[in-house]
Amino acid sequence: MAEHPIGGGVSFVRGLKVLICVAESGEVRADRIADDVAVPLSTVYRYLRTLRDLDLVEERDGSYLPGWRLQELSGQDLTHTRLVELGHTFLRELRDVSGETAVLTVRAGTHAMCLRQVESRHPMRMAFRVNQLLPLYAGAGQRVLLAHAPQTVIDRVLEQPLRHITRHTLDRASIVRELERTRRTRYLVSHGELSEEAVAVAVPVFAGGEIVCSLTVAGPDSRCGPAWQSYARATLVDAGQRLVDALDDSPRR
């Protein structure tokens, strides 16, 4: 059989670009893939059908997401499982030390997801629901994830209409400035962006050079003044490093 190295190579590279676009975006429509990789839409659909047959991508409501096989190959499922297993201990320590709700958040496409939390013991407290999807652009833990997301994800989040959840939710220009500052300082404090009179402090957690989650403590501003925020940041940085060490050790164990 005759081989066509040039045509075959081009097709292979195009298919990889489509796969990479889905993997980096987390959730993306076919027309956006076509724009991003500069491939005709009909060709993109052909690649997506093959990738779907191989369980590397899956289709949901007209969008394409990483399939179970791609997540398995990338280690994402394993990482989330390990975060669930290890996270509770660190969150409980953060709750006890800070006195406020501690949350572990991961990115799910163009949203954030509350993977685990340990609520404050105070009657008045801030809390999400486990597995609750949250906007990536609002709130400390979520925007930390956005700051370190691939540029394609950042672009998609900022291109969509940004809902003003409270009067303190940032506008697009302010978010862009905050993303740059967050990448530089590796922490973030938010005030009332998701819930009025709430304060949250968050840090990113990196493993293997990639952000795997954010750690956040959050409470009402009546208890969470500047001194608490400073102490919370130091506590989160320490907990984040210990979580990374535990993630590195857990496969060997």
Side-chain angles (χ1 to χ4, degrees):
M1 182 181 293
E3 293 185 0
H4 302 281
I6 295 179
V10 170
S11 179
F12 179 68
V13 170
R14 283 179 169 180
L16 284 179
K17 286 182 176 179
V18 170
L19 183 60
I20 289 169
C21 185
V22 175
E24 288 189 340
S25 301
E27 181 178 352
V28 61
R29 298 184 67 84
D31 56 353
R32 184 57 191 258
I33 297 173
D35 290 341
D36 284 355
V37 303
V39 172
L41 183 59
S42 60
T43 304
V44 167
Y45 277 121
R46 191 164 66 247
Y47 288 129
L48 287 171
R49 281 196 298 271
T50 300
L51 293 170
R52 187 178 57 198
D53 290 343
L54 295 171
D55 295 314
L56 290 169
V57 304
E58 65 176 80
E59 185 180 1
R60 187 184 304 164
D61 297 327
S63 293
Y64 291 86
L65 300 85
W68 68 265
R69 196 181 298 277
L70 180 58
Q71 293 184 23
E72 200 172 68
L73 290 170
S74 69
Q76 186 180 70
D77 276 354
L78 177 60
T79 299
H80 285 185
T81 299
R82 287 155 63 198
L83 286 171
V84 168
E85 293 172 347
L86 297 168
H88 186 77
T89 299
F90 291 91
L91 294 177
R92 189 176 58 231
E93 291 178 4
L94 283 169
R95 187 274 311 275
D96 292 344
V97 171
S98 70
E100 304 299 340
T101 296
V103 186
L104 189 156
T105 310
V106 296
R107 184 171 67 84
T110 54
H111 293 81
M113 183 175 71
C114 171
L115 193 66
R116 292 300 294 267
Q117 77 171 354
V118 175
E119 294 187 26
S120 169
R121 291 190 174 95
H122 293 286
M124 184 175 71
R125 58 184 179 268
M126 306 301 162
F128 298 121
R129 299 187 310 276
V130 171
N131 295 330
Q132 179 180 354
L133 290 179
L134 304 160
L136 268 176
Y137 59 87
Q142 297 75 256
R143 203 158 58 248
V144 160
L145 295 171
L146 180 61
H148 297 283
Q151 188 61 47
T152 53
V153 173
I154 296 174
D155 291 343
R156 287 192 180 95
V157 170
L158 295 180
E159 285 171 2
Q160 67 186 6
L162 303 181
R163 185 166 61 95
H164 283 270
I165 302 161
T166 74
R167 58 192 175 93
H168 299 293
T169 305
L170 301 184
D171 59 25
R172 188 171 282 99
S174 298
I175 291 170
V176 171
R177 289 194 297 271
E178 280 283 298
L179 293 180
E180 175 58 34
R181 191 192 69 79
T182 302
R183 283 189 287 268
R184 187 173 64 253
T185 62
R186 291 201 173 187
Y187 85 100
L188 179 61
V189 180
S190 65
H191 299 266
E193 295 182 20
L194 288 174
S195 178
E196 295 282 358
E197 301 179 354
V199 175
V201 183
V203 300
V205 176
F206 295 91
E210 300 288 335
I211 187 168
V212 294
C213 68
S214 64
L215 290 177
T216 306
V217 286
D221 58 10
S222 58
R223 292 197 302 263
C224 302
W228 177 88
Q229 294 167 30
S230 178
Y231 180 67
R233 176 189 175 189
T235 303
L236 286 163
V237 169
D238 176 69
Q241 184 55 60
R242 289 189 290 113
L243 178 55
V244 170
D245 294 340
L247 287 169
D248 288 341
D249 288 345
S250 59
R252 291 194 292 272
R253 291 175 184 167

